[in-house]
Amino acid sequence: QQKADFVGLRNVSLGYDFSNDLLKSKFLTSVRIFVDAQNLAILTNLEVFDPELNETNPFPQAVSTTVGVNVGF
């Protein structure tokens, strides 16, 4: 029997709001860029791919990323 210790990096969000000084525009009031990521990593000494897999959940979690820009007028 193995110890089932693991660490997972589930949700990460990074964003940057551009200041009004950088925009210097009559038409734009705000600009924000962002990156979101889910299920980035699982660190474990187990021999299995994902320690959360079981009979009712036989599939590993998908890694997904979102990149976007929010613009205010």
Side-chain angles (χ1 to χ4, degrees):
Q1 185 174 10
Q2 294 181 349
K3 289 178 68 175
D5 297 341
F6 71 96
V7 174
L9 185 57
R10 293 288 183 198
N11 299 309
V12 176
S13 297
L14 298 172
Y16 181 77
D17 292 314
F18 289 92
S19 68
N20 289 337
D21 295 338
L22 286 176
L23 294 177
K24 295 182 183 176
S25 172
K26 293 187 243 178
F27 304 106
L28 298 178
T29 59
S30 64
V31 175
R32 181 177 189 270
I33 57 172
F34 65 90
V35 175
D36 294 326
Q38 285 77 39
N39 303 317
L40 283 180
I42 294 178
L43 305 174
T44 182
N45 289 329
L46 293 175
E47 296 173 1
V48 296
F49 179 74
D50 185 345
E52 294 183 322
L53 298 180
N54 56 40
E55 291 177 9
T56 58
N57 182 23
F59 304 105
Q61 297 290 319
V63 175
S64 64
T65 57
T66 304
V67 177
V69 177
N70 294 334
V71 179
F73 296 98

